Amino acid sequence: MSPFKGQTGLKRILNAAGYSLDGLRAAFTGEAAFRQLVLLNVVLIPLAFWLDVSPVERALMVAVSMLSLIVELLNSAVEAAIDRISLERHPLSKNAKDMGSAAQLTSLVVIGLVWAIILLG
């Protein structure tokens, strides 16, 4: 058992919420890509509610839009961990960072495909 896992119950939930907010704050202030994706979501999510689509289609449009934020948070976390280990160039570090980038590209393609399929019928 990890010594960092000492809290239980409501205290643990409150701590976790604080850590999550810290992570969102760090991503927003330190990652330009995250800020760009937030801006994209600020446009796409209201647009999903404005468009004449079914509730299920709207939910899908919002979900895939938010997926890009989740993927960027994970990508940024991988990059931070790799950089923490070493700033030295290493093929495995490059692979890890490139795979995170590929995951983000894939999530953006999913957004485009889902939105196109719904809007173009």
Side-chain angles (χ1 to χ4, degrees):
M1 185 66 85
S2 170
F4 301 109
K5 299 281 185 179
Q7 301 297 326
T8 59
L10 184 58
K11 179 69 173 165
R12 181 187 163 283
I13 292 169
L14 292 174
N15 285 348
Y19 303 145
S20 296
L21 291 174
D22 288 346
L24 288 170
R25 192 176 302 108
F28 192 82
T29 59
E31 299 291 335
F34 186 78
R35 289 190 300 275
Q36 292 168 343
L37 290 168
V38 167
L39 180 61
L40 180 65
N41 277 271
V42 164
V43 172
L44 290 181
I45 292 173
L47 183 59
F49 284 93
W50 182 76
L51 293 169
D52 184 27
V53 295
S54 75
V56 171
E57 291 170 329
R58 182 173 293 114
L60 245 160
M61 294 166 92
V62 170
V64 298
S65 297
M66 292 189 72
L67 174 68
S68 66
L69 294 173
I70 295 167
V71 172
E72 183 57 33
L73 287 167
L74 294 171
N75 181 36
S76 295
V78 166
E79 288 182 355
I82 294 297
D83 290 346
R84 166 63 175 90
I85 293 167
S86 174
L87 294 176
E88 176 184 326
R89 293 190 184 271
H90 189 281
L92 293 176
S93 297
K94 180 180 180 341
N95 286 349
K97 288 183 173 191
D98 290 351
M99 288 178 202
S101 180
Q104 185 55 269
L105 175 62
T106 304
S107 78
L108 293 171
V109 169
V110 168
I111 291 172
L113 287 173
V114 168
W115 278 69
I117 290 167
I118 291 171
L119 295 177
L120 300 175

